[in-house]
Amino acid sequence: MLHSREVLPNDYDQLCDWWQAWGWLSPMPQNLLGDGIMVCDDDVNVCAGFLYTIKEAPIAWFTFPVSNPEVRGEIRKYAIQSLIELMTQKAKDGGAILMYSALRNTGMIEAQKKAGFVVNGGYSELIKTL
């Protein structure tokens, strides 16, 4: 049965393994991750994502979603849908009126589109480490 919880510090190694399994060259450092939610199927961690809120505007950023590469099929699909719904509610509860997400994974893009996200084409995501 699916349930959710906060991402805990001791989840980080597993999240790094998942990101690397999905082709991420360098996972986000743990101290830079926002508020995280982990969706689980009984005692199996299925997927997680992180939320940042913008203090200067009512905007939330949903990012770094990742799923357990060993969990496939309907369970993963429902867990990802649940994660998106939970993040949306968390953003609303925090006062956001817009939620931003930048993705590369086509499955996650489709899941977010089904949840009401709109694709803005033509953008490149650029990141600079300071």
Side-chain angles (χ1 to χ4, degrees):
M1 183 166 147
L2 291 179
H3 62 94
S4 65
R5 61 172 175 78
E6 288 183 32
V7 170
L8 303 172
N10 61 353
D11 292 324
Y12 184 70
D13 288 339
Q14 183 178 50
L15 293 171
C16 287
D17 290 343
W18 293 356
W19 282 316
Q20 290 173 350
W22 290 112
W24 288 53
L25 297 179
S26 57
M28 182 61 68
Q30 187 172 12
N31 65 326
L32 298 180
L33 292 171
D35 293 332
I37 293 178
M38 177 76 74
V39 178
C40 309
D41 181 29
D42 293 325
D43 61 344
V44 176
N45 295 336
V46 179
C47 63
F50 297 86
L51 191 73
Y52 298 84
T53 53
I54 310 298
K55 297 193 183 336
E56 295 79 20
I59 299 171
W61 179 28
F62 171 40
T63 191
F64 308 121
V66 65
S67 64
N68 183 336
E70 296 177 11
V71 176
R72 300 285 185 174
E74 293 299 307
I75 293 296
R76 185 169 72 187
K77 178 181 172 182
Y78 292 131
I80 289 170
Q81 290 172 344
S82 177
L83 176 65
I84 295 167
E85 291 170 10
L86 290 162
M87 285 298 186
T88 299
Q89 190 59 52
K90 187 174 184 69
K92 285 180 184 179
D93 291 348
I97 60 172
L98 183 141
M99 191 160 75
Y100 170 81
S101 182
L103 302 166
R104 197 175 347 168
N105 178 281
T106 56
M108 182 60 79
I109 290 169
E110 289 305 312
Q112 287 191 11
K113 284 169 52 178
K114 287 180 184 174
F117 281 76
V118 176
V119 175
N120 278 330
Y123 292 100
S124 294
E125 181 181 56
L126 304 170
I127 298 173
K128 180 177 182 178
T129 301
L130 304 176

